[in-house]
Amino acid sequence: MQTILRLVPGILGALAGFVVLKLIAWTSSVSFQVIVFLGAYLAVHLSVDTALRRYGRENE
């Protein structure tokens, strides 16, 4: 279970980045798409990781 919880932030971050990438697919600038993907990935990954760390501390 601990291994699965360790993978959750990365998986959710990648999923959010993919969704955002599909939403901006109309742009022709690849560099813009990469920057937006990485921004969405990092934002979701860091927020989910922080939330899981807080949840783990509160339940101990």
Side-chain angles (χ1 to χ4, degrees):
M1 186 66 172
Q2 191 70 12
T3 304
I4 293 172
L5 286 177
R6 223 177 292 141
L7 296 175
V8 168
I11 291 172
L12 290 179
L15 183 62
F18 178 74
V19 168
V20 168
L21 194 59
K22 289 298 179 181
L23 290 174
I24 62 164
W26 52 269
T27 61
S28 61
S29 174
V30 175
S31 60
F32 175 71
Q33 289 179 357
V34 169
I35 291 169
V36 171
F37 174 83
L38 290 175
Y41 174 82
L42 285 175
V44 172
H45 177 75
L46 292 176
S47 64
V48 171
D49 190 42
T50 304
L52 285 176
R53 287 177 196 251
R54 284 185 187 158
Y55 179 75
R57 271 189 263 142
E58 290 175 1
N59 283 343
E60 288 182 357

